[in-house]
Amino acid sequence: MEWQMNEDDVARLRRRITGARRRATTAQLAPHVRAVDAALACGTRPRRRYWGDCYRRAAEYVLDRFLRGGACPALEGMTLVHGTCCDEHQLWAHAWVELSGAPAAPGAGPAAGALVFCGVRQQFFDRDGYRRVMRSTAEAAYRPDELVARLRRTQRFGPWHWGALGGSSARRLHPHGGAGAPPFRDGPS
């Protein structure tokens, strides 16, 4: 008797594979996690994960520190970045916040330098380590005032550019390295 997978089996296997990939990425990112001061960490939830909600979580981090009367102290030097990340199997759309010259947590040594806040993981990372592990490519960057203007105009958290994925959120890569990603072009926003 031959065993065949039904839709539930496939969905269960897909969840297990996705979970294993996420755990592997978390382990690779671990050396790049950075402790930050309380003002920078204000409003974050380091033990939570918001898979698939990167645009909103990254934008909310910036808004909480930019808008008058925001939930957290004002912060200079923030950039909302929209781009892509990839692994051996997939290229996906992603958003994160880049912070320049961020203060370190008390007792953590000198200023943290260039950091990334990942809204999905609710953690701060050394920018270069994050870029390397996530294989991220920045396709568009927004100052806080630009974020507010785009958010008001589109009524959504992003993406607001036409990048390597076009309008898609993800694309499987060719198993033999022939991804054939379309060239980046900035389109209507």
Side-chain angles (χ1 to χ4, degrees):
M1 174 182 238
E2 188 175 314
W3 179 78
Q4 288 188 326
M5 293 180 75
N6 62 32
E7 287 180 32
D8 290 339
D9 295 330
V10 171
R12 197 170 13 263
L13 181 59
R14 184 172 286 132
R15 283 191 303 273
R16 289 183 66 192
I17 291 169
T18 299
R21 285 183 183 158
R22 287 175 177 163
R23 286 187 297 279
T25 301
T26 298
Q28 289 176 315
L29 283 170
H32 306 290
V33 172
R34 297 295 178 257
V36 297
D37 71 357
L40 210 55
C42 173
T44 64
R45 302 180 77 185
R47 288 172 177 55
R48 292 284 316 255
R49 299 294 180 260
Y50 295 97
W51 305 117
D53 201 16
C54 62
Y55 290 101
R56 180 168 70 113
R57 298 298 172 167
E60 285 177 345
Y61 181 86
V62 174
L63 292 172
D64 282 347
R65 286 148 186 82
F66 176 71
L67 295 178
R68 188 184 263 161
C72 298
L75 181 64
E76 297 292 323
M78 294 180 294
T79 305
L80 174 68
V81 180
H82 289 179
T84 60
C85 295
C86 71
D87 61 17
E88 296 77 26
H89 309 283
Q90 193 170 32
L91 177 71
W92 66 91
H94 192 49
W96 61 93
V97 180
E98 293 198 359
L99 305 152
S100 57
L115 294 177
V116 164
F117 172 72
C118 178
V120 169
R121 295 174 186 279
Q122 294 285 296
Q123 289 181 303
F124 296 85
F125 300 94
D126 166 71
R127 185 182 65 199
D128 294 337
Y130 184 83
R131 286 179 176 175
R132 193 171 37 260
V133 170
M134 299 299 290
R135 293 196 247 173
S136 66
T137 301
E139 294 181 334
Y142 305 96
R143 293 184 320 267
D145 59 322
E146 294 172 319
L147 176 158
V148 171
R150 299 262 180 156
L151 189 56
R152 285 183 175 146
R153 189 169 73 238
T154 65
Q155 297 294 300
R156 63 190 183 100
F157 291 103
W160 303 311
H161 71 286
W162 189 265
L165 290 169
S168 299
S169 62
R171 182 183 71 225
R172 288 188 187 279
L173 298 178
H174 189 275
H176 303 291
F184 168 76
R185 70 178 177 80
D186 197 14
S189 12

